[in-house]
């Protein structure tokens, strides 16, 4: 619709500019053209004599010559040869219409098409965001169902129990390629204070980051494994220190 509207107004602009040149053509080109027709220069061309007789005929002539590209030299060259100064008018019309206005029309149409494409992209992003938010809300509600003690947080046991007992939760996790082993890593990563619980919001946000960002997913798991290794090393060092002291 936007492209059609741009083409419509571009067409109006073309008619207006051609009409202005046609007024000039009637005043300056028509008298020269009549002299040529009286000398029989146009032969069998019945329209040539009245090519610039009125504004309407001048518009048709310019449309034929410049827009359609038909028989430009049949009338223009004899007139220029008769009155060389008229070349300025023909060249000005050609420059205005072909090099100026038509290129402007093309630019407007392309710009409108690009704007429509960008609008379509923005709409797709909005739709994707709405879908993303709906999925987050669904997962949040599933977390509420998994929270057996109503504490507002989830434990690892509650999450692992949900994987085995809640079909909707298990299906959602499977769609994110999260299995029982991955769940433990994700949980330990989110449980930074080692309280044994994570909030609904934090759990939902991190899971959707895992689903939407592949590089982020890899970094999450690498960080999780490193934290697990660090904790186990710390435990081993502590046990070794206790053995040395005893």
């Amino acid at each position: 619709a936007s492209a059609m509207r741009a083409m419509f107004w571009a067409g109006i602009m073309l008619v207006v500019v051609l009409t202005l040149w046609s007024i000039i053509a009637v005043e300056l080109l028509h008298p020269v053209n009549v002299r040529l027709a009286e000398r029989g220069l146009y032969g069998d061309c019945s329209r040539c004599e009245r090519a610039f007789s009125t504004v309407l005929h001048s518009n048709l002539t310019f449309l034929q010559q410049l827009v359609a590209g038909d028989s430009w030299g049949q009338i223009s060259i004899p007139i220029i040869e008769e009155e060389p100064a008229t070349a300025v008018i023909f060249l000005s019309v050609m420059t205005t219409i072909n090099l100026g206005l038509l290129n402007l029309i093309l630019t407007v149409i392309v710009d409108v098409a690009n704007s429509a494409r960008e609008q379509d992209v923005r709409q797709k992003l909005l739709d994707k965001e709405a879908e993303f938010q709906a999925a987050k809300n669904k997962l949040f509600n599933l977390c509420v169902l998994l929270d057996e003690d109503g504490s507002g947080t989830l434990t690892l046991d509650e999450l692992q129990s949900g994987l085995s007992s809640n079909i909707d939760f298990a299906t959602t996790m499977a769609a994110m390629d999260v299995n029982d082993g991955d769940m433990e890593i994700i949980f330990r990563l989110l449980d930074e204070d080692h309280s044994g619980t994570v909030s609904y919001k934090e759990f939902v946000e991190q899971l959707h980051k895992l689903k939407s960002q592949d590089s982020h997913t890899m970094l999450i798991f690498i960080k999780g494994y490193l934290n697990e290794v660090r904790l186990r090393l710390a435990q081993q060092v502590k046990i070794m220190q206790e053995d040395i002291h005893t």
Side-chain angles (χ1 to χ4, degrees):
S2 298
M4 293 299 296
R5 185 163 55 251
M7 292 176 65
F8 171 77
W9 287 111
I12 295 296
M13 187 184 301
L14 175 63
V15 171
V16 170
V17 174
L18 279 177
T19 300
L20 292 176
W21 282 117
S22 294
I23 294 172
I24 296 174
V26 171
E27 296 296 325
L28 301 179
L29 300 181
H30 179 61
V32 180
N33 195 46
V34 170
R35 292 203 306 267
L36 295 175
E38 289 174 349
R39 296 209 300 261
L41 187 65
Y42 294 128
D44 296 334
C45 179
S46 60
R47 187 184 180 279
C48 293
E49 181 179 357
R50 63 178 189 277
F52 300 106
S53 59
T54 65
V55 173
L56 176 60
H57 286 156
S58 296
N59 270 335
L60 292 176
T61 301
F62 285 139
L63 283 173
Q64 176 189 13
Q65 293 179 340
L66 302 177
V67 179
D70 180 31
S71 302
W72 186 87
Q74 185 177 18
I75 300 174
S76 303
I77 291 179
I79 292 177
I80 293 173
E81 290 177 341
E82 179 73 14
E83 291 288 345
T86 59
V88 176
I89 298 176
F90 286 109
L91 291 176
S92 298
V93 175
M94 181 183 299
T95 302
T96 304
I97 302 302
N98 282 350
L99 302 182
L101 189 57
L102 291 182
N103 284 335
L104 176 62
I105 293 172
L106 180 61
T107 301
V108 170
I109 293 173
V110 171
D111 185 63
V112 170
N114 286 335
S115 298
R117 180 172 58 89
E118 290 174 0
Q119 181 64 32
D120 184 58
V121 170
R122 284 195 294 269
Q123 186 60 46
K124 288 181 179 179
L125 290 175
L126 290 175
D127 293 342
K128 185 176 181 180
E129 180 63 26
E131 182 181 352
F132 183 79
Q133 190 60 45
K136 286 174 62 176
N137 293 338
K138 179 181 178 181
L139 182 57
F140 188 89
N141 292 331
L142 289 173
C143 290
V144 175
L145 295 176
L146 297 180
D147 184 18
E148 297 176 354
D149 57 3
S151 62
T153 58
L154 293 171
T155 64
L156 178 59
D157 290 339
E158 287 174 334
L159 290 171
Q160 291 177 332
S161 175
L163 283 174
S164 59
S165 61
N166 190 306
I167 296 177
D168 288 339
F169 184 72
T171 302
T172 301
M173 293 300 100
M176 297 181 179
D177 294 326
V178 176
N179 55 37
D180 190 69
D182 296 332
M183 183 64 73
E184 183 175 356
I185 295 172
I186 294 171
F187 181 85
R188 295 193 185 282
L189 179 63
L190 297 179
D191 185 21
E192 295 180 351
D193 59 358
H194 306 294
S195 63
T197 61
V198 294
S199 67
Y200 301 162
K201 183 178 180 180
E202 186 177 13
F203 180 74
V204 171
E205 291 290 343
Q206 290 299 328
L207 274 184
H208 275 277
K209 284 182 180 179
L210 294 179
K211 180 178 175 64
S212 60
Q213 302 177 20
D214 292 338
S215 60
H216 184 77
T217 301
M218 183 177 295
L219 291 175
I220 286 289
F221 280 104
I222 291 174
K223 184 178 178 181
Y225 281 120
L226 289 176
N227 284 340
E228 187 72 18
V229 170
R230 180 179 59 81
L231 290 175
R232 291 184 181 181
L233 284 176
Q235 292 173 355
Q236 291 296 324
V237 169
K238 184 177 180 181
I239 293 173
M240 291 175 64
Q241 287 176 342
E242 291 176 350
D243 290 342
I244 292 174
H245 291 328
T246 57

